[in-house]
Amino acid sequence: MQGRIIREVAGFYYVYSEETGETVQCRAKGIFRKKGLRPSVGDIVEYSLTNTEDVEGSVDEILPRKNSLGRPPVANVDQVLIVFAGKNPEPNFLLCDKFLIMLDEKEIPAALCFNKADITEEAAIGHFAEIYEKAGYPVFVTSAKLGEGKEALTEFLDGKLTAFAGPSGVGKSSLMNLISGTDAAETGEVSKKTGQGKQTTRASAIYVAGPSTYIIDTPGFGSLDLSGIEKEDLFLSFPEMTSLAGKCRFSSCAHLKEPGCAVKEAVEAGAIAKERYENYCSIYEELAAQRKY
């Protein structure tokens, strides 16, 4: 039988079958450890029923993955929705752009969601959305508390496996509950002392939101490692910059201080968001510094 792993708890894998609509608690065969393999949430697997005392089934085979992420740890996602709050906590655009770069490297489509529109100034959240709309990403503005933006977001998620990713406290679990129509995901509040979200999601878990529609609720992330990316290739992960490839005065232009740079001209003209360009420069310098060691 074939199914999808929707969560892992203490070495147990919970496999959901679209055919039966049932979830089976399984153990993974020992052969996976010998091969250095570990099933992940999102994996499509072959499983069999054992009906033993402590488990109902056994994960026998992991089918080939089309992609996988180590952070959050999930497999076979169709797209990722990066969720930030418009306020409380404030959005971290540098972290957002690093995550977008990582997804671009893995060729996984990404979209942005700015939640908590009910407590964010309209001009501010509109500006946040504009930054990434200019870059060519789908952007959604929502309020999980009031149900705003649910229809557009539901349409975007339909028929796909979507991982919700972002820092703690931005409302990922609340949004997931809104879309799926359940209260299955535990929600939390933002610490008044630190301004940071309190971690409520301890491990990735998939929720069925409709026919062939799955949402992965993932633990919040606080940092990302981009050490595997060459600084010369960084601009390729910025869609609004790649459209200007070959238009700079110098073919080796790094888009930093060189004269006749089409990217810098686009920033000055407002075609590229200043915030995105500043993050590009910051990440470029970070990658350059890493190469020295």
Side-chain angles (χ1 to χ4, degrees):
M1 293 179 289
Q2 192 174 110
R4 185 189 295 272
I5 296 176
I6 61 173
R7 62 178 56 85
E8 176 194 357
V9 180
F12 290 99
Y13 296 92
Y14 294 83
V15 180
Y16 172 76
S17 168
E18 279 194 351
E19 184 177 349
T20 66
E22 296 179 342
T23 300
V24 177
Q25 178 180 275
C26 298
R27 285 283 194 186
K29 281 191 171 181
I31 192 172
F32 294 124
R33 286 195 302 273
K34 294 178 182 178
K35 293 182 176 181
L37 297 175
R38 181 183 176 87
S40 291
V41 170
D43 272 331
I44 305 296
V45 299
E46 293 285 350
Y47 70 100
S48 56
L49 298 179
T50 57
N51 296 317
T52 53
E53 186 174 332
D54 62 336
V55 293
E56 299 169 302
S58 169
V59 175
D60 303 322
E61 181 182 356
I62 302 171
L63 300 188
R65 296 167 175 164
K66 69 177 181 181
N67 56 48
S68 64
L69 290 170
R71 188 165 188 160
V74 294
N76 297 314
V77 298
D78 294 314
Q79 56 192 13
V80 173
L81 183 73
I82 303 176
V83 182
F84 279 89
K87 186 178 183 180
N88 190 31
E90 300 293 327
N92 184 330
F93 294 121
L94 181 60
L95 185 61
C96 179
D97 287 339
K98 285 185 175 182
F99 200 83
L100 286 170
I101 292 165
M102 185 188 76
L103 293 174
D104 181 72
E105 285 292 300
K106 293 181 175 292
E107 299 183 347
I108 299 175
L112 278 293
C113 177
F114 291 98
N115 191 35
K116 302 189 181 182
D118 54 298
I119 63 170
T120 309
E121 293 79 5
E122 186 175 348
I125 207 163
H127 176 63
F128 300 156
E130 184 182 23
I131 291 172
Y132 290 94
E133 286 172 342
K134 279 185 176 180
Y137 294 101
V139 178
F140 300 90
V141 174
T142 61
S143 168
K145 182 177 181 180
L146 302 180
E148 294 177 4
K150 177 182 177 181
E151 185 175 340
L153 189 55
T154 299
E155 183 177 346
F156 174 73
L157 302 173
D158 185 47
K160 294 183 173 64
L161 172 60
T162 307
F164 280 35
S168 301
V170 299
K172 298 190 301 295
S173 297
S174 296
L175 275 175
M176 191 210 68
N177 286 339
L178 175 69
I179 297 298
S180 64
T182 70
D183 293 318
E186 182 183 355
T187 60
E189 298 176 351
V190 173
S191 168
K192 293 181 180 179
K193 182 177 180 180
T194 65
Q196 301 298 311
K198 299 176 183 178
Q199 185 69 272
T200 56
T201 303
R202 304 296 192 288
S204 298
I206 294 179
Y207 297 85
V208 181
S212 300
T213 302
Y214 303 92
I215 301 171
I216 307 181
D217 189 24
T218 68
F221 60 79
S223 62
L224 293 168
D225 180 19
L226 300 179
S227 58
I229 297 175
E230 298 292 336
K231 68 181 192 302
E232 292 83 3
D233 296 331
L234 180 61
F235 86 101
L236 296 174
S237 293
F238 285 74
E240 67 272 49
M241 294 186 186
T242 56
S243 63
L244 298 173
K247 295 184 179 180
C248 297
R249 182 184 302 177
F250 302 107
S251 59
S252 60
C253 186
H255 318 299
L256 299 176
K257 298 179 181 179
E258 300 88 340
C261 173
V263 170
K264 290 194 296 180
E265 292 172 358
V267 174
E268 292 171 2
I272 293 177
K274 182 180 179 181
E275 292 88 346
R276 283 272 290 172
Y277 176 70
E278 289 175 347
N279 286 345
Y280 165 82
C281 294
S282 176
I283 297 169
Y284 187 98
E285 296 297 342
E286 183 180 320
L287 295 177
Q290 289 175 355
R291 181 179 286 185
K292 294 179 181 179
Y293 297 99

